[in-house]
Amino acid sequence: MEKKELLYEGKAKRVYCTDDSEKLIVSYKDDATAFNGLKKGSIAGKGIVNNRMSNLLMSRLEQAGIPTHFIEELNERETLVRRVSIVPLEVVVRNISAGSFSRLYGVEEGIRFAKPVIEFCYKNDALKDPLICSSAAEALGLASDEEIMSIKSYAQRVNIWLQQFWNKRGVTLVDFKLEFGRTADGLLILADEISPDTCRLWDSSTQEKLDKDRFRRDLGRVEEAYQEIMRRVLETF
Ligand code: UDP
């Protein structure tokens, strides 16, 4: 499958058209941004880790019955995916308090919840991706009631699957963000990526952060963390 014109360039990925109007090629960059683009940088090798990890996880989730956009890995940075129109909601699942949850509610990081928290943010750069409740999302026409129910159910199932996956590798899944899309025939599927850019992953014994927080918070050893988390994935495959 050949890359045609650039359709979209985001912060961490480029998306290209192909000969097939229902398929796109995603190309992962090493560029990193945080705080709505205020902090910019580059993490050497990140694109390779995120591409390979996201593909591995999505293909395993697909086997577990969660429909995804993943079709085929083309090379270390590029993947063929199903074309979707993205539902403009960031779906955040939290098992442990961290990040914006801790800031918003004034609680420390590291509190394990009795059951996972599911949050929606409205994907809108001008508004800085505000938190939104499901009835407001429905009122704004961002997703139907039925889609919101499916999204919540998929998010719960992905969380259960991912927690098990990471536990086996000595990693605690703190929180993560998912995005969903609609295919031309209206099917709701998991899209975007699942990677250390979109998950908080802590070493289960040392609590060391093995994700993008090392970049966001200037913790150092950023490249090393991406390589280490990829090593953990591969060692048990
Ligand atoms: N996240 C993401 N993209 C975003 C915002 C958050 O992938 O634009 C992920 C982030 O990596 C974390 C989870 O969603 O795993 C929850 O992030 P949070 O709301 O705590 O935001 P932050 O503290 O990063 O501002």
Side-chain angles (χ1 to χ4, degrees), residues 82-100:
R82 296 179 69 178
R83 185 179 197 143
V84 292
S85 66
I86 291 286
V87 175
L89 292 173
E90 293 192 338
V91 181
V92 173
V93 182
R94 302 178 186 274
N95 298 307
I96 293 176
S97 64
S100 69

Side-chain angles (χ1 to χ4, degrees), residues 67-82:
T68 78
H69 72 163
F70 175 73
I71 301 174
E72 184 192 0
E73 188 168 296
L74 301 175
N75 57 56
E76 61 181 12
R77 286 185 186 268
E78 294 180 337
T79 296
L80 189 66
V81 299
R82 296 179 69 178

Side-chain angles (χ1 to χ4, degrees), residues 67 87 146-147 150-151 154 180-183 186-190:
V87 175
E146 195 192 348
E147 284 176 328
S150 301
I151 286 173
Y154 284 143
F180 292 84
R182 303 177 188 101
T183 61
L187 195 70
L188 186 75
I189 64 177
L190 187 58

Side-chain angles (χ1 to χ4, degrees), residues 57-237:
L57 295 175
M58 292 235 189
S59 55
R60 297 284 298 267
L61 285 167
E62 189 90 47
Q63 289 166 8
I66 315 276
T68 78
H69 72 163
F70 175 73
I71 301 174
E72 184 192 0
E73 188 168 296
L74 301 175
N75 57 56
E76 61 181 12
R77 286 185 186 268
E78 294 180 337
T79 296
L80 189 66
V81 299
R82 296 179 69 178
R83 185 179 197 143
V84 292
S85 66
I86 291 286
V87 175
L89 292 173
E90 293 192 338
V91 181
V92 173
V93 182
R94 302 178 186 274
N95 298 307
I96 293 176
S97 64
S100 69
F101 185 97
S102 291
R103 287 196 297 276
L104 183 62
Y105 302 114
V107 295
E108 63 191 293
E109 295 199 317
I111 304 164
R112 180 169 280 282
F113 304 128
K115 58 179 203 176
V117 174
I118 299 190
E119 286 172 2
F120 294 114
C121 292
Y122 177 20
K123 268 172 72 77
N124 182 315
D125 284 338
L127 299 177
K128 299 187 182 154
D129 301 343
L131 264 178
I132 188 167
C133 65
S134 26
S135 59
E138 199 188 331
L140 292 174
L142 309 182
S144 68
D145 184 35
E146 195 192 348
E147 284 176 328
I148 288 169
M149 287 197 304
S150 301
I151 286 173
K152 284 182 182 164
S153 153
Y154 284 143
Q156 297 275 11
R157 286 167 60 191
V158 170
N159 186 40
I160 290 166
W161 192 92
L162 282 180
Q163 283 192 86
Q164 267 181 16
F165 176 92
W166 286 116
N167 279 341
K168 283 186 214 151
R169 290 159 179 83
V171 174
T172 303
L173 178 64
V174 174
D175 59 30
F176 60 96
K177 185 260 307 178
L178 299 176
E179 293 188 24
F180 292 84
R182 303 177 188 101
T183 61
D185 39 16
L187 195 70
L188 186 75
I189 64 177
L190 187 58
D192 195 48
E193 67 179 282
I194 308 176
S195 73
D197 273 16
T198 64
C199 301
R200 283 195 170 93
L201 301 164
W202 294 355
D203 181 285
S204 305
S205 40
T206 65
Q207 317 303 317
E208 188 191 1
K209 293 177 174 46
L210 298 171
D211 56 59
K212 195 174 155 189
D213 269 350
R214 300 205 74 83
F215 167 79
R216 293 190 190 99
R217 302 179 185 190
D218 294 319
L219 299 177
R221 300 181 56 80
V222 183
E223 277 85 4
E224 289 83 349
Y226 278 77
Q227 295 305 323
E228 170 59 17
I229 201 75
M230 193 66 213
R231 194 189 63 73
R232 300 272 185 107
V233 168
L234 295 175
E235 85 187 349
T236 323
F237 260 92

